[in-house]
Amino acid sequence: MRRVTLTQFLIEQQRKGLMGADLRLLMEVVARAVKAIAVNVSKGALADVLGEAGSDNVQGEAQKKLDVIANDILIQANEWGGHLAAMASEEVEEIRPIPSDYPRGGFLLLFDPLDGSSNIDVNISVGTIFSVLKCPEGNAVPTEADFMQPGTSQVAAGYSVYGPATQLVLTVGDGVHGFTLDREMGSFIYTHPNMTIPEDTKEYAINASNQRYWEPPVQRYISELQAGKEGPRERDFNMRWVASMVADVHRILTRGGVFMYPMDSKMQAQGGKLRLMYEANPMAMIVEAAGGAATTGRERILSIQPTKLHQRVPVVLGSKNEVERVTRYHNEG
Ligand code: AHG
Ligand code: MN
Ligand code: MN
């Protein structure tokens, strides 16, 4: 069988007119950074990368050493190539325009360098999530306002999952494509063409410890799933919760399911748990491109007009019929 590398895949996408040379370079650079992050993640205690960094990020969350390492790798890999105008990261409060000693390109890159940080020290899958926007023309130096574009404006999105294998999943709008890292060769191989999410599922993912804070539509939906064969759904459902969004979403892209981090009473003031611009939007683009759906419970995630870089939103995504049902429950009540 002919092994197609990520590089070949991207060149073929460019030939089909699905991406330009600069977006292709951006994808290559992100993939290179992902490989470097994978090396660090997989060394674990041997490289002294576990544990706390001793600092807090903009969200007031304690940073792990790997949060900081992954962030530094992504910034250093991307700032000199000439493909970006600016970057934004979960771990950095302000946007980061490309320094003036490097050429400035036309794209904005946003990322969650290490998703699922609470799983680092216990050797459970973590990942990286990224979103690509076009920088509006006109400003000499990009500002935060340039990033305030709805998810529908994303030109590409992707994530990597550092699990038993390292995988990279990406979309430029034309289907969702998965690659597996061949560690000996050091290259990503195209192993999962055209990933799709089945419309129906018997599997759901939610942090059930928050149940007492959920709104009535979520209480209703989950209790119907839990009632199984004897309940209104007349079948049994299974539950999984990795607590790494990348791993939960990757499972859904592989075999279907619904993932929810809904609004709840303790997160009302902050708007939800997950971050719109570098968690919800890229995952929503991928999920929709794979035939699934993604809403806040009330509206399509990709249609939200962002107002803040680190804005949070409720998230319901995955198999279309389940997401539509949850959204209907919210909008009926
Ligand atoms: P991060 O590690 O980037 O802060 O993101 C963690 C997120 C997401 O990956 C996961 O689904 C969720 O937080 C888990 O939250 P709980 O610990 O509340 O279950
Ligand atoms: Mn995250
Ligand atoms: Mn993170």
Side-chain angles (χ1 to χ4, degrees):
M1 198 183 82
R2 177 175 166 243
R3 275 166 51 114
V4 176
T5 64
L6 175 69
T7 298
Q8 282 172 295
F9 170 86
L10 293 173
I11 289 172
E12 280 163 18
Q13 294 276 103
Q14 186 185 343
R15 284 186 189 142
K16 285 187 209 153
L18 294 167
M19 67 171 77
D22 43 356
L23 184 57
R24 177 164 67 82
L25 174 64
L26 194 167
M27 296 290 204
E28 291 272 14
V29 174
V30 169
R32 209 176 303 141
V34 160
K35 282 188 228 172
I37 298 171
V39 168
N40 280 275
V41 168
S42 66
K43 290 213 158 103
L46 300 177
D48 193 25
V49 297
L50 305 184
E52 307 294 324
S55 47
D56 283 353
N57 69 10
V58 51
Q59 347 264 339
E61 298 158 344
Q63 288 177 307
K64 300 275 183 185
K65 283 184 193 165
L66 270 173
D67 287 322
V68 176
I69 293 169
N71 184 61
D72 290 350
I73 288 173
L74 279 158
I75 289 176
Q76 279 166 26
N78 278 287
E79 69 183 359
W80 59 274
H83 50 288
L84 292 184
M87 288 181 255
S89 164
E90 178 192 351
E91 304 302 333
V92 186
E93 180 158 12
E94 309 278 343
I95 67 150
R96 186 185 168 94
I98 296 302
S100 56
D101 29 339
Y102 297 119
R104 215 166 252 165
F107 292 110
L108 304 172
L109 176 66
L110 300 97
F111 46 82
D112 175 354
L114 220 286
D115 176 65
S117 313
S118 72
N119 284 323
I120 293 170
D121 295 348
V122 288
N123 199 18
I124 291 175
S125 299
V126 291
T128 298
I129 310 172
F130 67 94
S131 160
V132 184
L133 294 165
K134 275 202 179 113
C135 188
E137 281 166 30
N139 288 344
V141 181
T143 64
E144 184 170 318
D146 294 324
F147 283 79
M148 298 298 107
Q149 306 178 40
T152 46
S153 300
Q154 292 171 107
V155 293
Y159 67 82
S160 59
V161 53
Y162 313 109
T166 289
Q167 288 191 270
L168 179 68
V169 172
L170 49 87
T171 184
V172 290
D174 181 53
V176 177
H177 306 283
F179 304 81
T180 304
L181 182 60
D182 181 329
R183 285 177 206 272
E184 283 75 37
M185 300 295 288
S187 44
F188 277 106
I189 307 298
Y190 190 29
T191 48
H192 293 69
N194 289 309
M195 299 173 84
T196 53
I197 301 176
E199 287 188 355
D200 290 298
T201 181
K202 291 168 117 181
E203 206 159 56
Y204 67 101
I206 194 164
N207 183 338
S209 71
N210 294 321
Q211 177 164 11
R212 67 193 182 285
Y213 304 114
W214 295 340
E215 297 180 308
V218 178
Q219 299 281 5
R220 173 185 170 192
Y221 177 71
I222 298 296
S223 67
E224 287 179 1
L225 301 188
Q226 287 171 340
K229 274 201 188 84
E230 290 74 37
R233 302 298 304 271
E234 297 175 342
R235 57 196 162 101
D236 290 336
F237 286 79
N238 198 4
M239 198 202 81
R240 290 284 183 275
W241 183 252
V242 184
S244 289
M245 188 192 201
V246 283
D248 282 311
V249 170
H250 192 63
R251 185 186 59 254
I252 288 170
L253 273 165
T254 310
R255 66 179 191 212
V258 57
F259 168 93
M260 305 174 68
Y261 215 121
M263 178 54 83
D264 71 33
S265 56
K266 78 175 155 35
M267 284 186 284
Q268 205 89 42
Q270 61 183 48
K273 160 94 183 189
L274 298 171
R275 279 55 59 106
L276 172 63
M277 303 216 57
Y278 40 81
E279 290 180 321
N281 267 345
M283 289 311 202
M285 181 178 183
I286 291 166
V287 164
E288 285 199 7
T295 74
T296 63
R298 296 185 162 83
E299 58 180 327
R300 185 183 177 211
I301 285 173
L302 293 180
S303 300
I304 297 173
Q305 173 59 49
T307 53
K308 283 193 308 224
L309 191 59
H310 299 286
Q311 179 173 346
R312 296 175 190 253
V313 283
V315 173
V316 180
L317 61 75
S319 291
K320 204 177 204 154
N321 291 337
E322 293 304 312
V323 175
E324 281 173 2
R325 178 184 285 266
V326 179
T327 309
R328 177 156 50 83
Y329 287 4
H330 280 82
N331 290 331
E332 274 169 12

